[in-house]
Every structure is written in C-alpha cells, then in structure tokens.
Amino acid sequence: MRAVQVVGYHDKLQLNEIPDPEITGPLDVIVRIGGAGVCRTDLHILEGQWEAKSGVALPYTIGHENAGWVEAIGDAVTNVAVGDKVILHPLITCGLCRACRDGDDVHCENSKFPGIDTDGGYADYLKTTARSVVRIDDSLEPAAVAALADAGLTAYHAAAKVARMTRPGDTCVVIGAGGLGHIGIQVLSAISGVTIVVLDRNPDAVALAVEVGAHEGIVADGNHIEKVLALTDGKGAEAVLDFVGEGGATAEGVAMLRQAGNYFVVGYGENINVPTIDIISTEINFIGNLVGSYNDLTELMTLAAQGKVTLHTATYPLTDFQQALDDLDAGKVRGRAILIP
C-alpha cells in the first residue's frame, strides 16, 4: 500500500510502498482510510519537536486524524463489522489500567498513538483496535469528519470542561478561530450557555467564527484586550479558551481573565509567565487539555450527526501531501486540510 512516511527530521516526507497491515490479534481492526487530517502537530513532528517524546523508529507513517471504512476485523471484535463507516479515536488503549477503567482513556498508561509513536493514517490502510473505532452515522462521510478525530476531539474535550465550569450568562473568550477554534466555538454554542467572544488576527477567521456561533468577534489588532474588558464591564471573562498558546497569546489571555476565572490551555509553544502572587491573589486556574476520551468522541459524533458541529475542509489527494502541508504552514487552509487516498 501507499504510505506517507517520516524518513528524517528536518527532511520532507516521502510517499513509499509498504506492506498492507494484517490482522494478528483478536481485537485488531484494519481501516481503509477515507480521510486523514493534516494537523500542525505534523509540522512539529518534522521539526523534531516530538523526537525525544515519541521515541518512534524511522521511517514510520504519519497522520493521527483518521476516518474510513472497516476493512477487516479480528475474531473477537463485536462493536463494528466489515464495511462500517468509522472514525478512529487517536489512541490505541489497553482497557486495563486505572485510567482506562475510569473512562479516562486519554491517560492510558499503555497507550500507543498512531501517527505519533506508531504508524498512522497518511496511507491506504491503518491498523488499530476495537477500542479505538467509533461508528459514525450514515449521513456522515469519513473525509468530512476525519479531523474531528483529534482537532475536533481536543476542542470538544476543552469546550466540555468550559461548559461544566461556567454558568449561562458567563463570558468565554476564545483565542484563535482556526482549525480547532472554529470547532470549539460550535461545541460551546451547542452545549453551554456562555457568551462566546472570539479573538483572531485574521478578519476572515473572525467572520467565520461569528458565522458558526460566536456572539462577538474581535480582530486582534492591538486594542482587543480593552474591547474584551469593555464587553465584561471591566471585570474580564470567567473563562479563556486558548487555541493558540504562543506569540504572546497567553499574556493577553491572562489580562482578559477575571478574578477566580479559568484559563483553558490547548495551543502550545510558549511559556506562561505569571507571578505566583497574582495566581494566589486572584485565584485564577490554569487547566491543560490533551485530546479527549473515547466517550468524548462518541458525544462529538452525536453533535456532528445532528448538524451542530461541521468542519470547514480543504481536500487534497494523498499524493499531494506536500502541498497540503505547505498550505497549512503558509496559513492558506481555511478550517482543516484533509488527505484522501
């Protein structure tokens, strides 16, 4: 089969021919890929940022946002059948550790992460397990929802925390209305009662944010902190949901947070530099968000089937993987880029 592989850090990806995956265990599932999301993490992988953390042997197949059709199953698989349309939870989990028993499988002690530390979905086929496949509604197509497997799941996981920790009428400032942000906005609109205020440097992204559910859209032009404070009677927002996490976004986000507010960190790239006395005196909280659980993904797929969460996508043939990555890096992708084998 064809597979787009990392052959060296700081090198370009290569399209190689490798053997098809095979069923070797009773819970194995092989999926024919219908769509693979192109994520900024893939750029970070090529930059070597994940080299020490993943420990993956090169070459390996990249791609961690995947959906498609079940091609083959092990003899103990009962939750899906050959031909089913599925989206893949990004982790392969054990089901036996304490976190998995708690339903917190994103923190599985024995997990594998296709596309990060084992072969992923920039390919014709991907091998995973029964614990990672979620059947999707007949109205949905794999290429249309693939990026919900990670970008959407991460956005849902964080937005669901915001919904649980806020009240109707509270304000949530969303920093960044790109690939993750526009999903998070839709989730907040669907499951919470917060007033959604969105910040982005790109006027088109701000317009899209308002189109998909934000109540206020503000272009980050240097006066955005004052505008947010004006909208909140000078007190700041009860929640800040930061999908950027770099370029000064965190300092600005803290400045827009009210006393006892919660700062939800999703994007990464810089340090949060806050004097500890400021954290104590205002009782603000910083909350990390890493992907989401299998149950989060099933709930997100329910919203997708109801038409409450949709992806803005740009599709590319698998052979045009480099163009997709280049367009993403250059900021030319509106929403999410999807590779289709």
Side-chain angles (χ1 to χ4, degrees), residues 30-93:
I30 294 173
V31 175
R32 176 167 61 89
I33 296 296
V38 180
C39 178
R40 190 159 293 278
T41 294
D42 298 332
L43 297 175
H44 295 326
I45 289 171
L46 293 173
E47 293 165 356
Q49 292 190 31
W50 286 81
E51 180 180 4
K53 186 173 181 61
S54 70
V56 66
L58 304 184
Y60 86 104
T61 306
I62 201 170
H64 58 275
E65 298 179 339
N66 305 300
W69 298 267
V70 175
E71 181 75 9
I73 59 175
D75 57 16
V77 176
T78 59
N79 59 323
V80 293
V82 171
D84 283 350
K85 286 192 286 189
V86 294
I87 189 168
L88 278 61
H89 187 271
L91 296 179
I92 295 173
T93 56

Side-chain angles (χ1 to χ4, degrees), residues 167-192:
R167 299 181 177 91
D170 285 353
T171 297
C172 178
V173 172
V174 177
I175 301 176
L180 273 74
H182 87 278
I183 302 169
I185 292 160
Q186 294 176 77
V187 174
L188 285 172
S189 180
I191 69 173
S192 82

Side-chain angles (χ1 to χ4, degrees), residues 64-208:
H64 58 275
E65 298 179 339
N66 305 300
W69 298 267
V70 175
E71 181 75 9
I73 59 175
D75 57 16
V77 176
T78 59
N79 59 323
V80 293
V82 171
D84 283 350
K85 286 192 286 189
V86 294
I87 189 168
L88 278 61
H89 187 271
L91 296 179
I92 295 173
T93 56
C94 71
L96 299 173
C97 69
R98 180 174 180 174
C100 284
R101 298 285 193 182
D102 250 359
D104 185 26
D105 44 3
V106 68
H107 294 118
C108 172
E109 297 170 9
N110 307 296
S111 67
K112 294 182 179 180
F113 202 148
I116 304 292
D117 58 20
T118 189
D119 286 331
Y122 280 22
D124 291 313
Y125 299 98
L126 172 64
K127 181 178 177 179
T128 184
T129 75
R131 283 183 52 81
S132 299
V133 289
V134 175
R135 288 183 62 187
I136 60 176
D137 192 80
D138 288 340
S139 64
L140 302 174
E141 291 302 323
V145 300
L148 292 177
D150 182 42
L153 179 57
T154 301
Y156 180 89
H157 184 62
K161 287 184 184 178
V162 173
R164 289 193 295 268
M165 299 174 70
T166 53
R167 299 181 177 91
D170 285 353
T171 297
C172 178
V173 172
V174 177
I175 301 176
L180 273 74
H182 87 278
I183 302 169
I185 292 160
Q186 294 176 77
V187 174
L188 285 172
S189 180
I191 69 173
S192 82
V194 297
T195 298
I196 306 167
V197 178
V198 175
L199 303 177
D200 199 286
R201 293 176 180 174
N202 184 339
D204 291 337
V206 172
L208 173 61

